[in-house]
């Protein structure tokens, strides 16, 4: 058998002695012939040396073969040398190198390096970022599918609602979280998971792949990417800066940290290092800004955020670094004479820029001096913490001293400030206002007197101290003007009152009014004194009638109807009335299209002609209301009629497509795009049409393709001609002098009839020109057909007789904006 194999290979695999490389698959049966080397005399035999491993042999006649199956994993390459020897054993040729490359077969299964793996992952870790690896090896050649490994997760326990929380890179064995795992893993609910992971060779693509499995235990750890507790930083710190105040940490090392200022401050006094430690970089002043809010972000090495930013709150802690301040250079209080002991004069409130409701801003008040000390010193008392001033010893009299000046010491825990208070003694309100006269007579005014007109001046006087609350007079209408048509403005220098029209007068509702005024002080009267008849006055207001124009109930009346309403349909109505109660007649102006009429008595509006939304979608006219009788005064309002659309317009081509032509002979397919439009109101999706061909013959030769749109039910028939002609520089060349009665090539093409259904605004048109011409020729009288046959054959269909159509598939496309 060996000899027979040798004879078989001798003729096919033989040649002179030269360097050669032979690829041989491992695992093949032994005694396989590799090559037959030949040598020229005086060579009579061959010698084999090198890495033979007692596997490779050579016969004296140069037949190289191997006697045992090869194993690539033992030796992937055998380096041999062959020399040709003469009868004396001397080398006459060579030695030459012979390389045996052992080709791999899939004879080794992949094996995990460990039977069990353990790892951990933080809650909310970034999906797709590996947190551990599993590794397997395969002794087969990694450059071939035999050694290409494929990893996959076989089992996840627990399996919550069938959702996989983990994923594995099928090439590298890297295990990471899925998006659901990143969002839903919770160490409180499930602190650990077990995975069964498999590895296959042959890239996992063969049924004959070898495989291995391993167990993976994963512990879920709490997410440490959390906002720290609010931080307090002492203001005006003298410690060296920057000072660490807090920190953030991403779940895994290698994150890049940064801060973002929410308030976009000119100077942002915080920083963060790449360990996640946050620092304040300079002393802070609470009185300038008492708190800060900013954000800490963590990004990966590519600048992609690893999670949502964390909000950092910093509160600036107060120190007592501000003294009390006075509210004004001098604080003025007033006290009436004869006020009783303990009466409140006013409350003095100083300011402190330190934090409210802390020991640093608690203020104490103390009177340190009084000027003058008449009739006694210590006439006033201030409550220590509230700053409330009171009379301390006796009532005051203005004749003793009209004014007292006090020095007040205001102190906090560390500072003291002197402030100044002035107390004015004012006359008590023991005099009432008295009108100069109690009756201002009758006042007659037309009802159209303008709002804002001063119609009367009234005057009262008060004998209390001038320019005080006791002598200031306020006038009030207490009777006769429930509608608030009048008002009284006071001149505070003269106490004069000006009666003014605040709302329009109306003869029809208030032709006569008896108006009563009351004069009073803003300060209350002292006990025992009351207002009497001297503080009241009156006048009679007579309003005369003025003929007024009718009044519409609205400035604009609106209505809406379909554009196809029947003639004579009521489309709206208007209303108006006459203040004097006269009858009103209605009429229209601005009815330029003659579409409407109005009932002069009722104001109802009717259509008198067909309406058309495409002509005017909102029809605007003016309505005139005229008094019947009297002065025939009139007023005008507007009537707006909105017309809603009905489908009363067929589709049409958007422009003229005449003059289209196709060049022949055809070289490439082409198409033409027809654009259609419709005068009716379009939906939000735009015009929707369908294009189709109008006859069965055209449907055999032309094709209409939809570009956009959706089905509807509206259609119309459109027709356009195409001309076939010889083209020169992209233009149709037509010889002069065609004979009357003889059909041209363009006539042979025929007319393209297109039917629009509501599918799209554009459509492609395709044709098979030779087939189209064939139909046209045989549908004509025999004389015309014979006259056209030659032109058709020569110009458009040079292979017509053999059945081969122009342009291969015979398709011609005409492009949208030209040929």
């Amino acid at each position: 058998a060996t000899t027979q194999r040798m004879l078989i290979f001798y003729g096919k695999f033989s040649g002179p002695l030269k360097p050669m490389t032979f690829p041989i698959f491992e695992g093949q049966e032994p005694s396989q012939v590799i090559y037959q080397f030949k040598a020229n005399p005086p060579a009579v035999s061959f010698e084999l040396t090198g890495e033979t491993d007692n596997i490779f042999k050579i016969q004296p006649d140069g037949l190289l073969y191997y006697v045992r199956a090869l194993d690539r994993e033992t030796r992937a390459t055998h380096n041999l040398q062959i020399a040709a020897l003469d009868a004396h054993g001397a080398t006459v040729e060579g030695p030459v190198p012979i390389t045996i490359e052992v080709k791999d077969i899939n004879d080794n299964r992949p094996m995990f390096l460990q039977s069990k793996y353990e790892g951990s992952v933080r809650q909310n870790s970034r999906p797709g970022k590996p947190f551990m690896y599993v590794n397997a090896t395969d002794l087969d050649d990694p450059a071939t599918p035999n050694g290409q490994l494929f990893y996959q997760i076989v089992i996840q326990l627990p399996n919550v609602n069938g959702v996989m929380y983990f994923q594995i890179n099928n090439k590298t064995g890297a295990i990471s979280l899925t998006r659901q795992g990143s969002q839903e893993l919770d160490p409180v609910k499930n602190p650990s998971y077990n995975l069964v992971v498999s590895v296959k060779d042959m890239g996992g693509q063969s049924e004959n792949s070898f495989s291995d499995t391993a167990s993976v235990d994963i512990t879920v750890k709490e997410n440490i990417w959390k906002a720290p507790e609010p931080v307090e930083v002492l203001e005006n710190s003298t410690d060296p800066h920057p000072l660490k105040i807090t920190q953030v940490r991403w779940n895994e090392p290698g994150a890049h940290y940064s801060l973002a200022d929410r308030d976009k401050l000119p100077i942002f006094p915080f920083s963060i290092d790449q360990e996640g430690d946050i620092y304040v970089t300079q002393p802070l002043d609470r009185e300038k800004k008492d708190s800060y809010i900013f954000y800490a972000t963590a990004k990966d090495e590519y600048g992609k955020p690893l999670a949502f930013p964390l909000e950092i709150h910093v509160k600036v802690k107060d120190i007592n670094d501000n003294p009390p301040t006075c509210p004004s250079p001098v604080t003025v209080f007033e006290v009436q004479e004869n006020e009783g002991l303990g009466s409140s004069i006013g409350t003095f409130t100083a300011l402190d820029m330190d934090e409210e409701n802390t020991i640093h801003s608690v203020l104490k008040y103390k009177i340190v001096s009084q000027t003058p000390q008449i009739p006694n010193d210590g006439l006033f008392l201030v409550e220590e913490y509230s700053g409330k001033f009171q009379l301390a010893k006796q009532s005051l009299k203005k004749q003793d001293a009209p004014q007292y000046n006090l020095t007040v010491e205001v102190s906090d825990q560390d500072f003291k400030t002197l402030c100044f208070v002035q107390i004015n003694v004012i006359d008590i309100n023991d005099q009432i206002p008295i009108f100069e006269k109690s009756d201002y007579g009758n006042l007659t005014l037309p009802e159209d007197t303008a709002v804002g007109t001063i119609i009367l001046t009234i005057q009262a006087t008060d004998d209390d101290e001038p320019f005080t609350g006791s002598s200031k007079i306020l006038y009030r209408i207490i009777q006769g003007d429930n509608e608030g048509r009048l008002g009284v403005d006071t001149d505070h220098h003269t106490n004069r009152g000006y009666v003014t029209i605040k709302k329009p007068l109306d003869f029809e509702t208030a032709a006569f009014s008896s108006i009563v005024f009351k004069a009073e002080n803003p300060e209350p009267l002292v006990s025992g004194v009351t207002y009497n008849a001297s503080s009241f006055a009156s006048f009679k207001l007579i309003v005369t009638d003025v003929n007024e124009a009718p009044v519409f109930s609205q400035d604009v009346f609106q209505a809406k109807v379909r554009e196809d309403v029947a003639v004579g349909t009521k489309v709206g109505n208007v209303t108006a009335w006459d203040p004097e109660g006269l009858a009103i007649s209605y009429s229209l102006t601005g009815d330029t299209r003659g579409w409407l009429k109005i009932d002069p008595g009722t104001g109802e509006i009717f259509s008198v002609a067909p309406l058309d939304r495409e002509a005017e979608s909102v029809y605007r006219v003016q309505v005139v209301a005229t008094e019947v009788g009297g002065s025939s005064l009139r007023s005008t309002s507007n009537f707006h009629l909105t017309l809603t659309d009905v489908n009363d317009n067929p589709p049409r081509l958007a422009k003229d497509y005449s003059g289209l032509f196709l060049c022949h002979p055809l070289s490439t397919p082409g198409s033409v795009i027809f654009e259609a439009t419709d005068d009716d109101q379009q939906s939000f999706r735009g015009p929707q049409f369908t294009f189709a061909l109008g006859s069965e013959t055209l449907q055999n030769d032309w094709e209409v393709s939809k570009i956009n749109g959706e089905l509807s039910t509206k259609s119309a028939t459109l027709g356009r001609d195409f001309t076939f002609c010889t083209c020169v520089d992209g233009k149709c060349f037509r010889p002069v002098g065609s004979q009357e009665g003889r059909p041209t090539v363009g006539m042979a093409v025929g007319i393209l009839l297109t039917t629009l259904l509501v599918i799209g605004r554009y459509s492609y048109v395709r044709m098979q020109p030779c087939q189209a011409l064939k139909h046209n020729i045989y549908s004509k009288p025999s004389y015309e057909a014979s006259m056209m046959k030659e032109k058709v054959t020569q110009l458009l269909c040079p292979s017509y007789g053999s059945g081969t159509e122009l342009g291969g598939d015979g398709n011609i496309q005409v492009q949208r904006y030209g040929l």
Side-chain angles (χ1 to χ4, degrees), residues 664-667 769-770 773 789-808:
H664 65 81
L666 298 177
S667 58
C770 297
L773 290 173
K789 181 175 182 182
E790 182 178 355
K791 289 187 177 181
V792 170
T793 303
Q794 294 177 354
L795 298 179
L796 293 180
C797 306
S799 300
Y800 184 81
S802 63
T804 302
E805 296 191 359
L806 186 62

mmCIF file of all heavy atoms in Angstrom, residues 664-667 769-770 773 789-808:
data_model
loop_
_atom_site.group_PDB
_atom_site.id
_atom_site.type_symbol
_atom_site.label_atom_id
_atom_site.label_comp_id
_atom_site.label_asym_id
_atom_site.label_seq_id
_atom_site.Cartn_x
_atom_site.Cartn_y
_atom_site.Cartn_z
ATOM 1 N N HIS A 664 -33.395 59.894 -27.350
ATOM 2 C CA HIS A 664 -33.176 58.533 -27.825
ATOM 3 C C HIS A 664 -31.948 58.529 -28.706
ATOM 4 O O HIS A 664 -31.588 59.563 -29.309
ATOM 5 C CB HIS A 664 -34.413 58.028 -28.590
ATOM 6 C CG HIS A 664 -34.679 58.813 -29.874
ATOM 7 N ND1 HIS A 664 -34.017 58.569 -31.047
ATOM 8 C CD2 HIS A 664 -35.516 59.846 -30.102
ATOM 9 C CE1 HIS A 664 -34.449 59.435 -31.973
ATOM 10 N NE2 HIS A 664 -35.359 60.217 -31.407
ATOM 11 N N PRO A 665 -31.203 57.470 -28.830
ATOM 12 C CA PRO A 665 -31.511 56.208 -28.107
ATOM 13 C C PRO A 665 -31.287 56.381 -26.614
ATOM 14 O O PRO A 665 -30.467 57.172 -26.204
ATOM 15 C CB PRO A 665 -30.544 55.207 -28.713
ATOM 16 C CG PRO A 665 -29.393 56.050 -29.162
ATOM 17 C CD PRO A 665 -29.992 57.339 -29.655
ATOM 18 N N LEU A 666 -32.053 55.640 -25.764
ATOM 19 C CA LEU A 666 -31.935 55.756 -24.322
ATOM 20 C C LEU A 666 -30.646 55.111 -23.842
ATOM 21 O O LEU A 666 -30.309 54.015 -24.255
ATOM 22 C CB LEU A 666 -33.123 55.077 -23.630
ATOM 23 C CG LEU A 666 -34.492 55.687 -23.967
ATOM 24 C CD1 LEU A 666 -35.571 54.886 -23.292
ATOM 25 C CD2 LEU A 666 -34.538 57.131 -23.555
ATOM 26 N N SER A 667 -29.970 55.814 -22.929
ATOM 27 C CA SER A 667 -28.721 55.265 -22.382
ATOM 28 C C SER A 667 -28.865 54.875 -20.924
ATOM 29 O O SER A 667 -28.279 53.915 -20.466
ATOM 30 C CB SER A 667 -27.594 56.292 -22.524
ATOM 31 O OG SER A 667 -27.949 57.485 -21.855
ATOM 32 N N PRO A 769 -40.200 52.185 -23.698
ATOM 33 C CA PRO A 769 -40.526 52.930 -24.909
ATOM 34 C C PRO A 769 -40.810 52.045 -26.101
ATOM 35 O O PRO A 769 -41.733 52.293 -26.868
ATOM 36 C CB PRO A 769 -39.291 53.797 -25.117
ATOM 37 C CG PRO A 769 -38.199 53.083 -24.406
ATOM 38 C CD PRO A 769 -38.836 52.452 -23.231
ATOM 39 N N CYS A 770 -40.024 51.003 -26.308
ATOM 40 C CA CYS A 770 -40.241 50.175 -27.496
ATOM 41 C C CYS A 770 -41.597 49.502 -27.421
ATOM 42 O O CYS A 770 -42.327 49.427 -28.394
ATOM 43 C CB CYS A 770 -39.125 49.149 -27.621
ATOM 44 S SG CYS A 770 -37.508 49.917 -27.874
ATOM 45 N N LEU A 773 -44.240 52.070 -28.126
ATOM 46 C CA LEU A 773 -44.336 52.381 -29.562
ATOM 47 C C LEU A 773 -45.000 51.245 -30.311
ATOM 48 O O LEU A 773 -45.761 51.455 -31.254
ATOM 49 C CB LEU A 773 -42.943 52.656 -30.111
ATOM 50 C CG LEU A 773 -42.344 53.978 -29.613
ATOM 51 C CD1 LEU A 773 -40.910 54.080 -30.064
ATOM 52 C CD2 LEU A 773 -43.148 55.146 -30.128
ATOM 53 N N LYS A 789 -42.735 52.676 -39.131
ATOM 54 C CA LYS A 789 -41.953 51.509 -38.742
ATOM 55 C C LYS A 789 -40.461 51.765 -38.859
ATOM 56 O O LYS A 789 -39.669 51.446 -37.977
ATOM 57 C CB LYS A 789 -42.367 50.330 -39.594
ATOM 58 C CG LYS A 789 -41.601 49.033 -39.240
ATOM 59 C CD LYS A 789 -42.137 47.873 -40.034
ATOM 60 C CE LYS A 789 -41.414 46.587 -39.651
ATOM 61 N NZ LYS A 789 -41.895 45.433 -40.443
ATOM 62 N N GLU A 790 -40.074 52.371 -39.977
ATOM 63 C CA GLU A 790 -38.648 52.590 -40.220
ATOM 64 C C GLU A 790 -38.070 53.547 -39.187
ATOM 65 O O GLU A 790 -36.982 53.321 -38.645
ATOM 66 C CB GLU A 790 -38.438 53.130 -41.637
ATOM 67 C CG GLU A 790 -36.959 53.338 -41.986
ATOM 68 C CD GLU A 790 -36.767 53.818 -43.412
ATOM 69 O OE1 GLU A 790 -37.769 53.889 -44.144
ATOM 70 O OE2 GLU A 790 -35.627 54.108 -43.750
ATOM 71 N N LYS A 791 -38.780 54.646 -38.918
ATOM 72 C CA LYS A 791 -38.269 55.606 -37.926
ATOM 73 C C LYS A 791 -38.173 54.976 -36.540
ATOM 74 O O LYS A 791 -37.226 55.207 -35.804
ATOM 75 C CB LYS A 791 -39.168 56.839 -37.873
ATOM 76 C CG LYS A 791 -39.049 57.710 -39.116
ATOM 77 C CD LYS A 791 -39.819 58.996 -38.950
ATOM 78 C CE LYS A 791 -39.651 59.899 -40.160
ATOM 79 N NZ LYS A 791 -40.367 61.171 -40.007
ATOM 80 N N VAL A 792 -39.165 54.211 -36.193
ATOM 81 C CA VAL A 792 -39.128 53.567 -34.876
ATOM 82 C C VAL A 792 -37.919 52.669 -34.743
ATOM 83 O O VAL A 792 -37.192 52.683 -33.761
ATOM 84 C CB VAL A 792 -40.421 52.761 -34.633
ATOM 85 C CG1 VAL A 792 -40.290 51.902 -33.382
ATOM 86 C CG2 VAL A 792 -41.598 53.704 -34.516
ATOM 87 N N THR A 793 -37.698 51.875 -35.789
ATOM 88 C CA THR A 793 -36.593 50.905 -35.748
ATOM 89 C C THR A 793 -35.253 51.603 -35.699
ATOM 90 O O THR A 793 -34.373 51.269 -34.907
ATOM 91 C CB THR A 793 -36.671 49.981 -36.962
ATOM 92 O OG1 THR A 793 -37.937 49.354 -36.973
ATOM 93 C CG2 THR A 793 -35.558 48.934 -36.913
ATOM 94 N N GLN A 794 -35.071 52.613 -36.548
ATOM 95 C CA GLN A 794 -33.759 53.255 -36.661
ATOM 96 C C GLN A 794 -33.458 54.158 -35.465
ATOM 97 O O GLN A 794 -32.316 54.206 -35.000
ATOM 98 C CB GLN A 794 -33.669 54.061 -37.965
ATOM 99 C CG GLN A 794 -33.709 53.186 -39.222
ATOM 100 C CD GLN A 794 -33.692 54.033 -40.505
ATOM 101 O OE1 GLN A 794 -33.762 55.249 -40.421
ATOM 102 N NE2 GLN A 794 -33.591 53.374 -41.635
ATOM 103 N N LEU A 795 -34.446 54.896 -35.016
ATOM 104 C CA LEU A 795 -34.169 55.931 -34.012
ATOM 105 C C LEU A 795 -34.317 55.441 -32.579
ATOM 106 O O LEU A 795 -33.546 55.815 -31.707
ATOM 107 C CB LEU A 795 -35.106 57.123 -34.230
ATOM 108 C CG LEU A 795 -34.947 57.816 -35.578
ATOM 109 C CD1 LEU A 795 -35.919 58.955 -35.691
ATOM 110 C CD2 LEU A 795 -33.527 58.311 -35.773
ATOM 111 N N LEU A 796 -35.334 54.643 -32.331
ATOM 112 C CA LEU A 796 -35.606 54.278 -30.948
ATOM 113 C C LEU A 796 -35.288 52.831 -30.627
ATOM 114 O O LEU A 796 -34.818 52.522 -29.552
ATOM 115 C CB LEU A 796 -37.080 54.540 -30.589
ATOM 116 C CG LEU A 796 -37.477 56.000 -30.576
ATOM 117 C CD1 LEU A 796 -38.940 56.108 -30.205
ATOM 118 C CD2 LEU A 796 -36.615 56.770 -29.623
ATOM 119 N N CYS A 797 -35.547 51.937 -31.490
ATOM 120 C CA CYS A 797 -35.431 50.521 -31.181
ATOM 121 C C CYS A 797 -34.606 49.832 -32.244
ATOM 122 O O CYS A 797 -35.141 49.120 -33.100
ATOM 123 C CB CYS A 797 -36.810 49.863 -31.081
ATOM 124 S SG CYS A 797 -37.883 50.706 -29.911
ATOM 125 N N PRO A 798 -33.288 50.032 -32.236
ATOM 126 C CA PRO A 798 -32.466 49.399 -33.272
ATOM 127 C C PRO A 798 -32.544 47.883 -33.218
ATOM 128 O O PRO A 798 -32.277 47.222 -34.202
ATOM 129 C CB PRO A 798 -31.065 49.905 -32.940
ATOM 130 C CG PRO A 798 -31.113 50.312 -31.525
ATOM 131 C CD PRO A 798 -32.488 50.831 -31.303
ATOM 132 N N SER A 799 -32.879 47.299 -32.110
ATOM 133 C CA SER A 799 -32.967 45.824 -32.025
ATOM 134 C C SER A 799 -34.414 45.380 -31.894
ATOM 135 O O SER A 799 -34.700 44.347 -31.317
ATOM 136 C CB SER A 799 -32.146 45.326 -30.829
ATOM 137 O OG SER A 799 -30.806 45.699 -30.963
ATOM 138 N N TYR A 800 -35.336 46.178 -32.388
ATOM 139 C CA TYR A 800 -36.758 45.891 -32.204
ATOM 140 C C TYR A 800 -37.130 44.537 -32.770
ATOM 141 O O TYR A 800 -37.880 43.783 -32.185
ATOM 142 C CB TYR A 800 -37.578 46.992 -32.854
ATOM 143 C CG TYR A 800 -39.073 46.860 -32.645
ATOM 144 C CD1 TYR A 800 -39.667 47.285 -31.462
ATOM 145 C CD2 TYR A 800 -39.879 46.263 -33.629
ATOM 146 C CE1 TYR A 800 -41.019 47.165 -31.272
ATOM 147 C CE2 TYR A 800 -41.252 46.151 -33.430
ATOM 148 C CZ TYR A 800 -41.815 46.592 -32.264
ATOM 149 O OH TYR A 800 -43.157 46.479 -32.056
ATOM 150 N N GLY A 801 -36.570 44.238 -33.931
ATOM 151 C CA GLY A 801 -36.947 42.993 -34.579
ATOM 152 C C GLY A 801 -36.551 41.769 -33.803
ATOM 153 O O GLY A 801 -37.203 40.738 -33.862
ATOM 154 N N SER A 802 -35.447 41.841 -33.096
ATOM 155 C CA SER A 802 -34.977 40.678 -32.349
ATOM 156 C C SER A 802 -35.599 40.573 -30.966
ATOM 157 O O SER A 802 -35.307 39.664 -30.230
ATOM 158 C CB SER A 802 -33.455 40.740 -32.199
ATOM 159 O OG SER A 802 -33.101 41.881 -31.438
ATOM 160 N N GLY A 803 -36.412 41.556 -30.602
ATOM 161 C CA GLY A 803 -37.067 41.511 -29.281
ATOM 162 C C GLY A 803 -36.289 42.185 -28.193
ATOM 163 O O GLY A 803 -36.716 42.212 -27.066
ATOM 164 N N THR A 804 -35.087 42.724 -28.490
ATOM 165 C CA THR A 804 -34.296 43.410 -27.471
ATOM 166 C C THR A 804 -34.762 44.854 -27.382
ATOM 167 O O THR A 804 -34.771 45.554 -28.389
ATOM 168 C CB THR A 804 -32.808 43.363 -27.813
ATOM 169 O OG1 THR A 804 -32.424 41.993 -27.925
ATOM 170 C CG2 THR A 804 -31.998 44.058 -26.743
ATOM 171 N N GLU A 805 -35.143 45.316 -26.184
ATOM 172 C CA GLU A 805 -35.668 46.664 -26.049
ATOM 173 C C GLU A 805 -34.562 47.645 -25.729
ATOM 174 O O GLU A 805 -33.512 47.276 -25.195
ATOM 175 C CB GLU A 805 -36.727 46.704 -24.951
ATOM 176 C CG GLU A 805 -37.947 45.853 -25.305
ATOM 177 C CD GLU A 805 -39.082 46.107 -24.357
ATOM 178 O OE1 GLU A 805 -38.894 46.913 -23.450
ATOM 179 O OE2 GLU A 805 -40.149 45.516 -24.561
ATOM 180 N N LEU A 806 -34.817 48.880 -26.045
ATOM 181 C CA LEU A 806 -33.834 49.948 -25.876
ATOM 182 C C LEU A 806 -33.432 50.086 -24.410
ATOM 183 O O LEU A 806 -34.260 50.063 -23.531
ATOM 184 C CB LEU A 806 -34.453 51.268 -26.344
ATOM 185 C CG LEU A 806 -33.529 52.472 -26.379
ATOM 186 C CD1 LEU A 806 -32.396 52.219 -27.371
ATOM 187 C CD2 LEU A 806 -34.303 53.705 -26.772
ATOM 188 N N GLY A 807 -32.119 50.248 -24.190
ATOM 189 C CA GLY A 807 -31.600 50.473 -22.832
ATOM 190 C C GLY A 807 -31.612 49.238 -21.974
ATOM 191 O O GLY A 807 -31.667 49.332 -20.769
ATOM 192 N N GLY A 808 -31.551 48.067 -22.538
ATOM 193 C CA GLY A 808 -31.510 46.841 -21.721
ATOM 194 C C GLY A 808 -32.867 46.479 -21.200
ATOM 195 O O GLY A 808 -33.570 45.679 -21.779
#
